[in-house]
Amino acid sequence: MGSVALLSSLTLGVNSAQADATVQQSSASVEVQTSTGSETNTKETTSADISVNQNVSNVEDGSKHSESSVASSNSISKENEYVSSESKENTSSVSTTVQSFSEVSQHLSQKIATSLSSNTTQLKNGWYSEKDNWYYYNNNMQKGWFQGGNDWYYFNPINGQMQKSWLQGGNDWYYFNPVSGRMQKNWLQGGDDWYYFNPISGHMQKSWLQGGNDWYYFSPISGHMQKSWLQGGNDWYYFSPTSGHMQKGWLQGGNDWYYFNPVSGRMQRGYAYINGVNYNFSNSGRQILNYSIDYRYALPAGKGDDETAANNYLILHEVGTESGAATNARYFHDTVDTNEAYVTFVVGDGGKVYQVGRPGQVSWGAGRVANHNAPVQIELGRTYNSGQFWQDYVTYVRVARDMAGKYGIPLTLDAGGAGTRGIKSHYWVTKNIWGDHVDPYGYLSRFSVTQAKLAHDLLYGV
């Protein structure tokens, strides 16, 4: 029994020493895990330590449990360390990836900057010129129509060049300024021709156009403004060679007269009653006169007055000496520069009419004021022959009525004071404006023609 007890005591001592060592080792392990492990690992190791203290009687089992716990703690710690290391590796990988993307971004930025620098002319906004051609950019190159303020421009749909000069769009034509490129509006002169472009659409005008009280005509093909004669169907029209206005009323072409309807502009043919006078026109439109005109003493260009008279008076004279029409017409013609006196027509010698001055222009027969208000002045040659007188008188009245009708002058004789329009005797001019002449009444009384008879015949004709 003593040996057994001694052996048991020795065994117990050894086991106790081993247990103490185990506890110390476990405590060391706990300290290590507490300082290096996670909170979970620390809690598990502490549990192992408690298990050892509670099972002192079973030291061997407690020791194994402690070793197992330590081993388990070390394993967990390494595993966590591995995960932590892996996390760092992943973080390092992400960081490397971000750094690489940044490098790519920087590279692309440099490349775009280089591209922008090398293609600056292709990315302009606004106007851009190249080799006499203009382009317009608004992020992209402009093509087709473009409005800039109140102006319109057109750019080629393929190459983008700004349009200059003529452009056809469908059945319409447009014109663009060869320098600025602006679309033309209103009037345009090209050489000797005129064109008109709609102020809104810019379409070149074709056919008829009304501008205020005037009418114009433009070729349906070329767009040229019509000048001179134009035939439309069976009708004829005339357009001013300068302004292009459609002719209305009377027109003198050379020595011929024509009349155009004041509304439609159609040339008159046949008979017409105009301003109180009956007229007759041929199929060609020429007026058929009821008297004839001799032009042998007509003043050449550059002689006499070149001013146009106001259409207020038609002044009647008689020559004042016992001489005929031809003699006086020749005298006016030959002495115009020295004597400075002439009239438009001289009537006589058996109903003949000699033209000296040009109808419509100022002549020098009744003083400055009257002259500038009288497009026609007429002299009557003298005779003692009654038959010749009546021929002369009838023609005298016819010429006066014809010319008064053409210039829109009232057919009333010597009516009113200065400024009252109408047919006037030289005597009326003396009383109302200037001078000392009393013609033509003294000579007319030789054949019993009174002022009243002359007034009647001028108003109604003979």
Side-chain angles (χ1 to χ4, degrees):
M1 291 290 292
S3 298
V4 172
L6 180 61
L7 181 60
S8 297
S9 176
L10 290 172
T11 302
L12 180 60
V14 172
N15 290 339
S16 296
Q18 290 178 349
D20 289 340
T22 301
V23 169
Q24 289 177 0
Q25 186 176 356
S26 296
S27 297
S29 295
V30 169
E31 289 177 2
V32 171
Q33 292 302 319
T34 301
S35 61
T36 62
S38 65
E39 184 178 358
T40 303
N41 294 338
T42 302
K43 286 180 179 179
E44 190 171 346
T45 306
T46 303
S47 176
D49 187 24
I50 293 171
S51 176
V52 170
N53 291 330
Q54 288 178 345
N55 294 287
V56 174
S57 60
N58 191 3
V59 175
E60 187 174 358
D61 291 339
S63 177
K64 289 180 179 178
H65 183 77
S66 294
E67 290 176 359
S68 175
S69 295
V70 171
S72 176
S73 295
N74 289 337
S75 175
I76 291 173
S77 177
K78 286 182 178 180
E79 184 177 352
N80 286 344
E81 186 176 355
Y82 174 77
V83 170
S84 176
S85 175
E86 186 177 46
S87 296
K88 287 181 180 178
E89 184 177 348
N90 289 341
T91 302
S92 175
S93 176
V94 171
S95 176
T96 302
T97 302
V98 171
Q99 185 176 4
S100 298
F101 184 78
S102 176
E103 290 175 357
V104 171
S105 178
Q106 184 177 2
H107 176 69
L108 288 174
S109 297
Q110 291 174 351
K111 188 172 183 180
I112 291 171
T114 303
S115 176
L116 286 172
S117 176
S118 63
N119 294 283
T120 302
T121 58
Q122 297 180 8
L123 298 174
K124 284 181 176 292
N125 277 333
W127 291 97
Y128 168 57
S129 175
E130 180 180 315
K131 295 181 180 179
D132 296 329
N133 292 313
W134 282 92
Y135 305 83
Y136 187 82
Y137 291 86
N138 186 10
N139 294 326
N140 295 310
M141 184 173 68
Q142 180 68 39
K143 296 180 180 180
W145 288 100
F146 172 69
Q147 185 175 15
N150 293 323
D151 296 310
W152 282 92
Y153 304 83
Y154 187 81
F155 297 86
N156 188 290
I158 298 175
N159 59 29
Q161 289 178 2
M162 181 186 74
Q163 181 67 34
K164 300 177 182 179
S165 192
W166 291 99
L167 171 70
Q168 185 175 14
N171 292 323
D172 295 310
W173 282 91
Y174 305 84
Y175 187 82
F176 297 85
N177 187 288
V179 178
S180 68
R182 293 186 181 97
M183 181 185 75
Q184 182 68 37
K185 300 176 182 179
N186 298 310
W187 290 99
L188 171 71
Q189 184 176 14
D192 293 328
D193 295 312
W194 282 91
Y195 305 83
Y196 186 82
F197 297 85
N198 188 287
I200 299 174
S201 67
H203 295 169
M204 181 186 74
Q205 183 67 36
K206 300 176 182 179
S207 192
W208 291 98
L209 171 70
Q210 184 175 14
N213 294 322
D214 295 311
W215 282 91
Y216 305 84
Y217 187 82
F218 298 85
S219 168
I221 299 174
S222 67
H224 295 168
M225 181 186 74
Q226 182 67 36
K227 300 176 182 179
S228 192
W229 291 97
L230 172 70
Q231 184 176 13
N234 293 323
D235 296 311
W236 283 90
Y237 304 84
Y238 187 83
F239 298 85
S240 168
T242 306
S243 67
H245 295 170
M246 181 185 73
Q247 182 68 37
K248 299 176 183 179
W250 288 97
L251 171 71
Q252 185 175 15
N255 294 324
D256 295 312
W257 286 87
Y258 303 83
Y259 185 79
F260 298 85
N261 187 288
V263 178
S264 68
R266 294 187 181 96
M267 182 187 72
Q268 182 67 44
R269 294 170 177 167
Y271 289 95
Y273 186 72
I274 303 167
N275 295 330
V277 181
N278 285 307
Y279 293 92
N280 187 18
F281 300 89
S282 69
N283 286 332
S284 67
R286 293 184 180 90
Q287 179 195 3
I288 300 173
L289 295 172
N290 54 4
Y291 60 91
S292 61
I293 300 176
D294 190 322
Y295 297 97
R296 73 182 73 183
Y297 302 118
L299 294 176
K303 292 291 185 177
D305 205 308
D306 59 359
E307 289 190 50
T308 300
N311 298 336
N312 292 320
Y313 310 138
L314 186 149
I315 302 175
L316 299 178
H317 305 262
E318 62 92 6
V319 296
T321 62
E322 300 301 327
S323 57
T327 300
N328 283 274
R330 185 188 305 112
Y331 174 78
F332 289 141
H333 176 274
D334 295 345
T335 64
V336 63
D337 293 329
T338 56
N339 194 45
E340 296 184 345
Y342 71 95
V343 293
T344 314
F345 298 104
V346 182
V347 178
D349 298 345
K352 294 180 179 178
V353 180
Y354 297 93
Q355 180 174 313
V356 181
R358 185 167 182 82
Q361 292 182 331
V362 171
S363 56
W364 303 333
R368 178 174 176 78
V369 174
N371 291 342
H372 280 78
N373 284 277
V376 174
Q377 298 190 50
I378 306 170
E379 289 275 5
L380 177 62
R382 288 189 177 185
T383 182
Y384 282 100
N385 185 291
S386 178
Q388 180 180 325
F389 170 79
W390 288 110
Q391 287 179 316
D392 296 342
Y393 176 77
V394 168
T395 303
Y396 186 58
V397 170
R398 285 178 176 176
V399 174
R401 281 173 54 82
D402 176 28
M403 292 296 162
K406 286 174 178 172
Y407 290 98
I409 296 172
L411 297 175
T412 53
L413 176 64
D414 291 346
T420 303
R421 300 177 68 243
I423 299 175
K424 310 297 183 181
S425 66
H426 200 170
Y427 179 56
W428 179 92
V429 173
T430 297
K431 291 194 301 179
N432 292 278
I433 299 177
W434 173 87
D436 58 2
H437 289 235
V438 295
D439 55 307
Y441 296 120
Y443 170 66
L444 293 178
S445 64
R446 181 184 296 181
F447 297 94
S448 302
V449 175
T450 63
Q451 182 182 18
K453 176 175 174 52
L454 178 60
H456 176 276
D457 293 341
L458 289 170
L459 186 59
Y460 299 106
V462 290

